[in-house]
Amino acid sequence: EIVMTQSPATLSVSPGERATLSCRASQNIGSNLAWFQQKPGQAPRLLIFRASTRATGIPGGFSGSGSGTEFTLTISSLQSEDVAVYYCQQYKNWPLTFGQGTKVEIK
Amino acid sequence: EVQLVETGGGLIQPGGSLRLSCAASGFTVSSNHMGWVRQAPGKGLEWVSVLYTGGTTYYADSVKGRFTISRDDSKNTLYVQMNSLRAEDTAVYYCAKRHSSDWTFDHWGQGTLVTVSS
């Protein structure tokens, strides 16, 4: 099973500042990585697939990068509505696995 | 507009059975790969099962042999039959539609809570 490790567990960012979230895979997954946003009481929302492609309707302030084992999700200018838990997910191999999440909050 | 609505959750005793339903609209379930993902209270996301359009299924080791994913094409509905339920199966269960090109999920239901407790 491929283990996904996200860091940090919690990220506090001032409004308008950049937020950088990390996700590491325990083995090479190429670009088979997605990012999700989950707000309290809501279902996850797909942000990024194939490591760097924005999903339909996702604003340009969200961007993904990386390949192999190291990946990054960047929120270019944090807004209050971006407060959420963010998860990465690999789909290189079965079982599909998620990271444990990074909670993004406003400083 | 794509919509997924899960029903069937509730309180069930350990060892019991429950069937969750996921009614889809705005697309055809039989033409899309579908899956279930769960989230224990206060925890992260855990993939449970997937159903390919052709009928192939995959399960997480934690549910293999106890859960069965299926669909009813006439009702455009996805199901998961959960048997021999354990306390650790307590979670919100989401059904989700696979992305058109990648094995991730681009549409999710609102989830239904399953609580396994005596």
Side-chain angles (χ1 to χ4, degrees):
Chain A
E1 172 175 319
I2 298 175
V3 177
M4 307 302 293
T5 303
Q6 292 185 241
S7 61
T10 303
L11 184 61
S12 296
V13 178
S14 299
E17 294 297 303
R18 179 187 301 261
T20 303
L21 291 67
S22 295
C23 175
R24 174 177 291 177
S26 60
Q27 59 186 266
N28 188 339
I29 61 170
S31 296
N32 296 291
L33 184 101
W35 288 95
F36 292 89
Q37 176 193 66
Q38 187 178 33
K39 296 181 180 180
Q42 295 186 17
R45 174 193 183 196
L46 178 65
L47 298 176
I48 301 285
F49 66 97
R50 215 169 293 166
S52 61
T53 304
R54 273 189 301 277
T56 302
I58 301 304
F62 290 93
S63 63
S65 63
S67 66
T69 62
E70 300 284 342
F71 301 87
T72 300
L73 175 70
T74 301
I75 308 171
S76 61
S77 176
L78 193 76
Q79 308 299 315
S80 58
E81 59 265 30
D82 301 326
V83 169
V85 179
Y86 293 81
Y87 295 94
C88 60
Q89 177 233 327
Q90 69 79 23
Y91 49 93
K92 172 67 173 175
N93 289 344
W94 299 102
L96 306 178
T97 49
F98 293 86
Q100 80 281 15
T102 289
K103 183 178 182 179
V104 173
E105 57 184 35
I106 297 287
K107 184 185 290 184
Chain B
E1 178 192 4
V2 171
Q3 268 201 311
L4 296 163
V5 179
E6 301 97 333
T7 55
L11 176 63
I12 187 76
Q13 291 191 337
S17 297
L18 209 56
R19 188 179 79 159
L20 305 183
S21 301
C22 172
S25 58
F27 74 103
T28 303
V29 166
S30 62
S31 299
N32 288 270
H33 307 318
M34 300 289 295
W36 289 94
V37 176
R38 68 184 181 184
Q39 186 169 36
K43 302 298 184 181
L45 301 169
E46 179 188 17
W47 166 71
V48 172
S49 180
V50 296
L51 173 62
Y52 280 71
T53 55
T56 299
T57 58
Y58 287 101
Y59 297 93
D61 285 347
S62 57
V63 307
K64 199 173 296 182
R66 300 187 299 123
F67 289 15
T68 303
I69 190 172
S70 64
R71 67 178 188 244
D72 184 330
D73 296 347
S74 67
K75 296 182 178 179
N76 208 33
T77 297
L78 181 74
Y79 302 98
V80 62
Q81 175 68 42
M82 306 186 296
N83 299 329
S84 304
L85 283 162
R86 307 165 180 167
E88 54 265 36
D89 296 318
T90 294
V92 173
Y93 285 75
Y94 297 100
C95 75
K97 172 185 160 296
R98 181 196 184 260
H99 186 275
S100 58
S101 62
D102 290 51
W103 252 117
T104 186
F105 299 105
D106 61 357
H107 289 88
W108 297 62
Q110 85 289 348
T112 187
L113 176 62
V114 173
T115 303
V116 184
S117 175
S118 54

